């Protein structure tokens, strides 16, 4: 719990922590970066197969486009990505997209669009999303706990 003294009155906030659980995806030999990430996103969008883990990504969400460019990974998702769940769910789904997009190169920036438009606010709570966003940003801005091997 973090507390701050505001003009003599103490306010407290509970930290939201999202922990990610990595999953391994088998890739065919000689896959391009875009193809490999496409397979990883297909696995992510189909939801987890293991007990005790869940996805924050709504099942109706579709991957519209994915490309690996010189300035980073570009992901375009359907509008369904922005609906449902509270802050923890929104943070979780954002983290899942960023960590999946950076599976091959952990430090590469990710550009996230929804229906072709840059994602700057996510959900009814209006979580601000940097463009581009990195794993370090997700950890710093939202308290996401990086997965351990």
């Amino acid at each position: 719990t973090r507390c701050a003294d505001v003009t003599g009155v103490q306010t407290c906030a509970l930290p939201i922590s999202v922990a990610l659980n990595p999953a391994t995806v088998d890739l065919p030999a000689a896959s391009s970066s875009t193809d490999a990430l496409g397979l990883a996103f297909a696995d992510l969008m189909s939801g987890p197969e293991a007990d005790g883990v869940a996805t924050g990504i709504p099942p109706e969400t579709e991957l519209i486009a994915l490309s690996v460019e010189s300035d980073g990974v570009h992901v375009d998702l359907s509008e369904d990505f922005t609906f449902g769940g509270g802050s923890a769910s929104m943070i979780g789904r954002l983290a899942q997209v960023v960590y999946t997009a950076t599976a091959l190169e952990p430090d590469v920036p990710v550009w996230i669009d929804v229906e072709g438009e840059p994602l700057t606010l996510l959900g009814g709570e209006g979580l601000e999303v940097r463009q581009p966003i990195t794993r370090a940003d997700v950890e710093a801005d939202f308290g996401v706990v990086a997965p351990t091997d």
Side-chain angles (χ1 to χ4, degrees), residues 34-92:
T34 300
D35 290 343
L37 291 178
L39 290 171
F41 269 96
D43 186 71
L44 176 65
M45 298 298 191
S46 68
E49 294 180 13
D51 290 336
V53 295
T55 182
I57 299 174
E60 302 83 14
T61 302
E62 295 179 20
L63 179 64
I64 295 172
L66 172 70
S67 64
V68 178
E69 307 293 336
S70 61
D71 64 344
V73 176
H74 293 256
V75 179
D76 190 5
L77 301 166
S78 66
E79 189 176 25
D80 299 303
F81 181 75
T82 65
F83 298 134
S87 294
S89 175
M90 295 292 173
I91 292 167

Side-chain angles (χ1 to χ4, degrees), residues 3-129:
C3 298
D5 192 3
V6 180
T7 62
V9 176
Q10 195 174 59
T11 62
C12 297
L14 294 173
I16 295 175
S17 178
V18 174
L20 298 173
N21 292 309
T24 301
V25 177
D26 293 323
L27 301 174
S31 294
S32 71
S33 295
T34 300
D35 290 343
L37 291 178
L39 290 171
F41 269 96
D43 186 71
L44 176 65
M45 298 298 191
S46 68
E49 294 180 13
D51 290 336
V53 295
T55 182
I57 299 174
E60 302 83 14
T61 302
E62 295 179 20
L63 179 64
I64 295 172
L66 172 70
S67 64
V68 178
E69 307 293 336
S70 61
D71 64 344
V73 176
H74 293 256
V75 179
D76 190 5
L77 301 166
S78 66
E79 189 176 25
D80 299 303
F81 181 75
T82 65
F83 298 134
S87 294
S89 175
M90 295 292 173
I91 292 167
R93 72 184 68 168
L94 179 64
Q96 286 179 285
V97 167
V98 171
Y99 273 78
T100 300
T102 59
L104 301 176
E105 294 184 54
D107 296 326
V108 71
V110 180
W111 302 85
I112 303 173
D113 289 350
V114 171
E115 303 285 343
E117 297 296 321
L119 176 64
T120 55
L121 291 175
L122 180 57
E125 291 81 14
L127 295 176
E128 290 187 37
V129 179

